[in-house]
Amino acid sequence: EFTPGKLPSNDYAFKNLLFVHPSDYKNFLAQNGNREPVYAEVKNFVLRLAPLDTLTVGEFGASALQKDAMRISKIDTIKITPKRIREDNPLGGLTCDLSLIFCSPEAPMEQGLVKLETDQIKDAIVAAFTQKFINYGEIFPLTLCEGKLVMKVKVTKIEAFNS
């Protein structure tokens, strides 16, 4: 059983990982045959684990958006179980809802609207999910324009690749 801990800064929230104490991480790594990356299941979400030494043994660190998606409160205790991912599942498509949660005055604007190219958003989402498992209903922050924009992304549909 794990309890929520505090991430040392917002920088960790943008990594879209689940953090645990290094000794807890070693236990998960051993259960994964000492192979990285290490994945774990939490409340029907599969997330990639990473060690973080500011957490204590038995604590996990997750962004507020991740905890919101998994419906975890500050006083919950949760079970984190290792999840072995044995193969890649290529995606045919991914649908997300996007909402703006931060816009710096230095963000690119045109006639009072944020100026973004579709490829900028797509490339940022692809980078956010590289070497990670994608969960239906997952919510995570996405930075764009060198941190001048922060978007809230919620995965609303996942389509498998049809060969």
Side-chain angles (χ1 to χ4, degrees), residues 20-71:
V20 293
H21 185 271
S23 64
D24 290 324
Y25 181 81
K26 285 179 187 175
N27 291 335
F28 284 111
L29 181 62
Q31 292 177 60
N32 197 46
N34 289 316
R35 287 185 300 273
E36 291 185 314
V38 178
Y39 295 93
E41 186 171 351
V42 181
K43 296 189 121 191
N44 296 320
F45 283 81
V46 176
L47 299 166
R48 186 171 167 193
L49 292 180
L52 183 61
D53 59 8
T54 60
L55 296 169
T56 60
V57 173
E59 278 187 330
F60 72 92
S63 74
L65 292 175
Q66 288 172 315
K67 288 187 268 190
D68 182 41
M70 294 184 280
R71 292 185 170 91

Side-chain angles (χ1 to χ4, degrees), residues 12-161:
Y12 290 89
F14 295 107
K15 297 184 185 296
N16 198 25
L17 299 169
L18 186 71
F19 296 94
V20 293
H21 185 271
S23 64
D24 290 324
Y25 181 81
K26 285 179 187 175
N27 291 335
F28 284 111
L29 181 62
Q31 292 177 60
N32 197 46
N34 289 316
R35 287 185 300 273
E36 291 185 314
V38 178
Y39 295 93
E41 186 171 351
V42 181
K43 296 189 121 191
N44 296 320
F45 283 81
V46 176
L47 299 166
R48 186 171 167 193
L49 292 180
L52 183 61
D53 59 8
T54 60
L55 296 169
T56 60
V57 173
E59 278 187 330
F60 72 92
S63 74
L65 292 175
Q66 288 172 315
K67 288 187 268 190
D68 182 41
M70 294 184 280
R71 292 185 170 91
I72 297 172
S73 75
K74 293 178 182 180
I75 59 171
D76 284 341
T77 57
I78 61 164
K79 186 173 184 169
I80 300 176
T81 55
K83 184 78 172 178
R84 224 180 225 181
I85 308 297
R86 297 174 189 238
E87 61 187 59
D88 291 332
N89 293 316
L91 289 177
L94 181 69
T95 305
C96 301
D97 288 342
L98 300 170
S99 57
L100 185 65
I101 56 177
F102 172 75
C103 182
S104 166
E106 292 88 38
M109 303 290 274
E110 189 172 285
Q111 297 178 344
L113 300 173
V114 175
K115 183 180 176 187
L116 283 174
E117 299 294 326
T118 305
D119 284 346
Q120 287 176 278
I121 298 169
K122 178 187 65 112
D123 293 346
I125 289 173
V126 168
F129 281 119
T130 299
Q131 291 294 309
K132 295 187 181 87
F133 198 87
I134 300 174
N135 298 279
Y136 172 78
E138 186 169 353
I139 303 171
F140 64 95
L142 185 71
T143 58
L144 298 162
C145 303
E146 300 170 351
K148 294 177 181 127
L149 295 171
V150 180
M151 306 288 292
K152 176 180 169 182
V153 180
K154 181 175 182 180
V155 178
T156 58
K157 186 177 181 183
I158 299 172
E159 298 173 33
F161 181 74

